[in-house]
Amino acid sequence: MNESLRIVIAEDSAILRDGLASLLIERGHEVVAMVGDATTLSDVVGAHNPDVAVVDVRMPPSFTDEGLLAAIELRRKYPMTGVLVFSQWVETRYATELLAGGASGVGYLLKDRVADVRDFVDALQRVATGGTALDPEVVSQLMGASRQQDSLARLTPREREVLELMAQGLSNNAIATALTVTERAVEKHIGNIFTKLDLPPSDAHHRRVLAVLRLKAS
């Protein structure tokens, strides 16, 4: 039988928060605290010293990435406390930062993909004892984000500058004027950008738009 865990829950939805707590308590675990926003999470963990914290990503006040930022702070301040991010969303930028110090004691599961409560509890137990629990979809998106970062890193400073001007909506002629180079030189830089970002010619996609989206996603 798995050992009883001391758990903190950070979830803005009262229904989900209470429902999750009830499920965990029924299975012999102790929910030592629950919070509806990310701002007090660190203090609550410091006060209760739980084995693991379950944290949603999008929480008040802006409902963007407060929960994930709070999870990163927990990893920094309380490295012995496991952190299981439990959300509908994959935020690749900060998820990568969450895992930067190693995946031990970290989990990231997607709410819509957890079909069995037992699987969730098992994942929670693994994270609390220093293991890892990552949804395959999270891994896939993180790997994709990593490849995007690697491809952008291959750009020269001048190519990066050209891409940033493209993101501002400038034409090749306007970019040439801004950089005091010929339009032919700009065209060559853009060709290099497409090659390094692995954007071959396509009738279905506009490579200029895709390159800019790649930059904005970084």
Side-chain angles (χ1 to χ4, degrees):
M1 181 177 178
N2 288 333
E3 188 175 326
S4 176
L5 300 175
R6 289 169 48 80
I7 304 166
V8 164
I9 298 173
E11 165 63 62
D12 65 285
S13 168
I15 293 175
L16 291 177
R17 189 170 62 240
D18 291 348
L20 185 56
S22 296
L23 289 171
L24 293 170
I25 292 169
E26 286 175 6
R27 284 158 178 78
H29 300 294
E30 181 183 3
V31 177
V32 296
M34 297 189 292
V35 297
D37 62 77
T39 57
T40 57
L41 179 57
S42 180
D43 291 339
V44 167
V45 169
H48 292 277
N49 191 31
D51 298 304
V52 62
V54 181
V55 186
D56 192 10
V57 168
R58 299 187 176 181
M59 302 185 71
S62 71
F63 293 94
T64 54
D65 48 29
E66 285 89 349
L68 197 45
L69 290 172
I72 292 169
E73 183 183 9
L74 290 187
R75 290 283 288 169
R76 180 178 57 82
K77 293 179 66 174
Y78 307 106
M80 299 306 294
T81 297
V83 176
L84 176 62
V85 175
F86 191 45
S87 177
Q88 290 177 290
W89 317 100
V90 182
E91 298 289 349
T92 56
R93 178 183 175 188
Y94 291 117
T96 301
E97 187 174 343
L98 178 67
L99 294 164
S104 177
V106 178
Y108 199 137
L109 300 180
L110 300 178
K111 292 176 180 177
D112 292 343
R113 288 167 56 88
V114 176
D116 192 315
V117 174
R118 182 175 54 189
D119 291 341
F120 174 80
V121 175
D122 287 346
L124 196 62
Q125 190 86 40
R126 287 201 306 278
V127 170
T129 54
T132 304
L134 298 176
D135 186 286
E137 178 62 23
V138 173
V139 174
S140 175
Q141 291 198 33
L142 288 177
M143 290 180 65
S146 177
R147 285 193 294 270
Q148 288 185 11
Q149 290 289 344
D150 289 344
S151 61
L152 285 170
R154 293 199 294 268
L155 300 181
T156 66
R158 176 62 86 182
E159 289 163 357
R160 179 85 182 207
E161 196 173 10
V162 169
L163 181 55
E164 288 171 351
L165 291 173
M166 287 167 58
Q168 296 176 26
L170 273 64
S171 66
N172 288 4
N173 183 59
I175 293 173
T177 301
L179 298 179
T180 320
V181 298
T182 66
E183 191 168 349
R184 176 72 175 172
V186 171
E187 292 172 356
K188 183 176 180 180
H189 287 311
I190 292 175
N192 290 339
I193 290 169
F194 291 157
T195 298
K196 292 179 180 180
L197 298 187
D198 192 24
L199 297 173
S202 170
D203 293 333
H205 304 290
H206 195 303
R207 290 193 293 172
R208 198 179 186 97
V209 173
L210 293 176
V212 168
L213 288 175
R214 188 78 58 84
L215 176 67
K216 291 182 177 296
S218 66

